[in-house]
Amino acid sequence: MLNLAELYLVGKTVKKKPEKAIQLYKRAIDLGNSNAMNSLALMYENGEDVEKNIPKAIQLYERAIELGNSDAMYNLALIYDNGEGVEKNLPKAIQLYERAIDLENSDAMYNLALIYEYREGVEENRVNRKSW
């Protein structure tokens, strides 16, 4: 379902039908697919083919995080890091980046390195920041 949803979303090998993609994502979510949760959350976060809805995106990211999805951890960290539709919360963002890093998410590694390298008032991590 997830793969078919992705095809309908971008119109690859099938006619683009975002509404069909959303329907398939929701079916996959009902079956506990954390990647579908993350994908639909991204749509709500960015307002792509749906009305932008940050609270709904956060809810889906949190469900995916409960299932150990490191991409959802990273994406939710970005929301708190940038203050996108929520109050900026750098400690929460760092915590989510670190959880994603524990699952070897390289995007989270990069963003956390940037935080430690360039942000004033952020205590330097115990680990050598260049290792990120």
Side-chain angles (χ1 to χ4, degrees):
M1 280 182 265
L2 175 68
N3 292 337
L4 187 56
E6 304 279 328
L7 293 176
Y8 277 115
L9 187 62
V10 297
K12 188 172 184 175
T13 68
V14 295
K15 185 177 180 183
K16 183 176 178 172
K17 292 183 182 178
E19 66 282 349
K20 180 73 172 171
I22 292 167
Q23 180 184 47
L24 288 165
Y25 281 140
K26 287 180 178 180
R27 285 178 60 197
I29 288 167
D30 288 343
L31 296 172
N33 187 302
S34 68
N35 290 320
M37 293 170 195
N38 184 62
S39 293
L40 188 56
L42 275 170
M43 291 177 71
Y44 282 116
E45 179 185 349
N46 297 315
E48 292 175 9
D49 299 310
V50 294
E51 187 173 330
K52 187 172 185 163
N53 188 331
I54 299 296
K56 191 164 196 139
I58 290 171
Q59 179 185 31
L60 285 165
Y61 285 138
E62 287 175 345
R63 283 181 65 193
I65 288 168
E66 288 174 12
L67 297 171
N69 188 301
S70 72
D71 290 329
M73 292 171 195
Y74 170 75
N75 289 328
L76 186 55
L78 284 175
I79 287 177
Y80 287 111
D81 193 359
N82 297 319
E84 175 68 28
V86 297
E87 187 173 326
K88 194 171 189 164
N89 188 334
L90 190 58
K92 186 164 184 126
I94 290 171
Q95 177 190 41
L96 286 162
Y97 285 138
E98 288 175 343
R99 286 183 65 192
I101 288 167
D102 288 343
L103 297 171
E104 300 182 8
N105 185 300
S106 60
D107 292 325
M109 290 176 194
Y110 178 76
N111 278 24
L112 190 58
L114 291 176
I115 287 171
Y116 288 129
E117 182 70 23
Y118 296 109
R119 301 232 185 136
E120 299 233 358
V122 176
E123 187 177 315
E124 190 169 328
N125 191 301
R126 294 178 298 266
V127 177
N128 182 343
R129 66 181 177 215
K130 291 183 181 183
S131 70
W132 296 110

